[in-house]
Amino acid sequence: MRVAGLLLAAGAGRRFGSPKALVPLHGKLFVDSAAEVLRAAGCDPVVVVLGAAAAEVRAQASLDGVTVVDNPDWASGMGSSLRTGLHAVGVADAVVVLPVDTPGVTVAALHRLMALAEPKALARAVYDGVVGHPVLIGADHFPGVIASAAGDQGARDYLQANTVRHVECADVADGADVDRPEDLRPRSGGA
C-alpha cells in the first residue's frame, strides 16, 4: 500500500499569535518536525500545505524531501488546505493527515494507522478515547472528503457521516493540539 503523508501547515495561528508552522520546539520548527515524522514513518510522498507566511516558512524551514504546495485560500480555514493537499498527493492508496500543531504525534502512532491503509479505510487516532490526529483516509474517500471539506471543519463532517475505525494511541503518542503558547509548557504529572 502506498500511503502519502499530508501536513496541514497553512494557518495563521491567531490564538497562538503567529503561524504555528514557524514555532520552534527542541531546536526545530513545528513544520520541519512534523514533516520529519511523516517521512520517518514511510509516507510517500509527504505533501506540506502552506498558506499564512508561506514565504517566511520556506525561508526558515528546511522542508527536506517533501512536496510543498501553497493554498491561496488558506484564510478560509483548514478545509481548503485539506482539499489542496489531497489534490497534490497524486496516486496513493491512502493518506495520513496531520495538522502542524500536534507535535506529540509519533512514528509509532502513524504506523498504527498506516497498518490499516487501503483505499476503503477511514481511521483516526484516539487518545484515552478522545478523537484526535492523525487521520487515515483511503483513496476511495478522497472525492467525498474534498466535496465536504469546508471552513475550519476539515474532514469532520465526512468522518461523522461514515464509519471510522478508532485507533488508541495514548500509549505511544500525545495528540494534544498546541493552540496557545502556554500549551507548550510541560504538563504536571509527568505526561
Side-chain angles (χ1 to χ4, degrees):
M1 290 288 143
R2 184 168 183 184
V3 183
L6 176 53
L7 177 58
L8 304 178
R14 287 181 296 277
R15 289 178 288 178
F16 195 88
S18 65
K20 290 184 253 180
L22 293 168
V23 173
L25 183 65
H26 307 303
K28 289 186 182 175
L29 299 178
F30 270 18
V31 69
D32 283 326
S33 295
E36 286 175 17
V37 168
L38 288 167
R39 287 182 59 221
C43 295
D44 180 34
V46 173
V47 174
V48 179
V49 181
L50 300 179
E56 192 176 346
V57 174
R58 277 189 168 87
Q60 292 185 31
S62 64
L63 298 171
D64 294 329
V66 303
T67 300
V68 180
V69 295
D70 288 316
N71 173 12
D73 199 25
W74 65 266
S76 69
M78 189 190 316
S80 64
S81 290
L82 182 57
R83 291 191 309 271
T84 298
L86 286 174
H87 283 298
V89 161
V91 177
D93 297 296
V95 63
V96 284
V97 181
L98 185 65
V100 76
D101 64 353
T102 54
V105 171
T106 62
V107 169
L110 288 165
H111 281 169
R112 284 196 181 163
L113 274 88
M114 292 168 71
L116 305 173
E118 64 171 332
K120 294 178 181 168
L122 273 180
R124 74 181 311 163
V126 296
Y127 299 88
D128 295 323
V130 178
V131 295
H133 287 91
V135 174
L136 176 77
I137 302 170
D140 289 356
H141 298 282
F142 290 4
V145 170
I146 289 169
S148 69
D152 276 331
Q153 299 301 305
R156 185 176 301 156
D157 290 346
Y158 187 85
L159 295 172
Q160 287 176 344
N162 288 275
T163 302
V164 178
R165 183 164 176 185
H166 288 180
V167 180
E168 185 58 57
C169 292
D171 61 320
V172 295
D174 178 355
D177 292 348
V178 174
D179 289 328
R180 296 175 176 83
E182 55 267 26
D183 294 340
L184 288 172
R185 294 191 189 116
R187 293 180 179 89
S188 60

